[in-house]
Amino acid sequence: MQVAAGMFHTIVPVAPPDCDGNINGDGEVGVDEILGVVAAWGTDDADADVNDDGIVDTNDLLFVLAAWGPCS
Ligand SMILES: [Ca+2]
Ligand SMILES: [Ca+2]
């Protein structure tokens, strides 16, 4: 049997693009990241420590605000 071009579609799962500041991996930096930073405030939580300085604090909040929006 001959297979015509375009007869089959290849479905490739595509993860949302990740970016610095996106804690939950949903492809955008938004309210979830604010909540994540606040929830981990004062800890060394590696996910919420978006600027990787070893502590979750104001700088991480500012980092999230600077990265606000969809990852590209
Ligand atoms: Ca997110
Ligand atoms: Ca930090």
Side-chain angles (χ1 to χ4, degrees):
M1 168 183 155
Q2 284 235 311
V3 177
M7 192 170 173
F8 296 103
H9 295 278
T10 304
I11 299 173
V12 179
V14 178
D18 204 2
C19 57
D20 289 344
N22 182 26
I23 296 172
N24 64 356
D26 68 349
E28 70 172 5
V29 178
V31 174
D32 290 339
E33 279 63 44
I34 298 268
L35 297 176
V37 167
V38 169
W41 199 266
T43 71
D44 61 354
D45 185 287
D47 289 330
D49 182 21
V50 291
N51 69 350
D52 291 326
D53 69 350
I55 187 162
V56 180
D57 62 9
T58 310
N59 291 325
D60 298 294
L61 201 54
L62 295 175
F63 191 106
V64 165
L65 294 175
W68 197 265
C71 299
S72 53

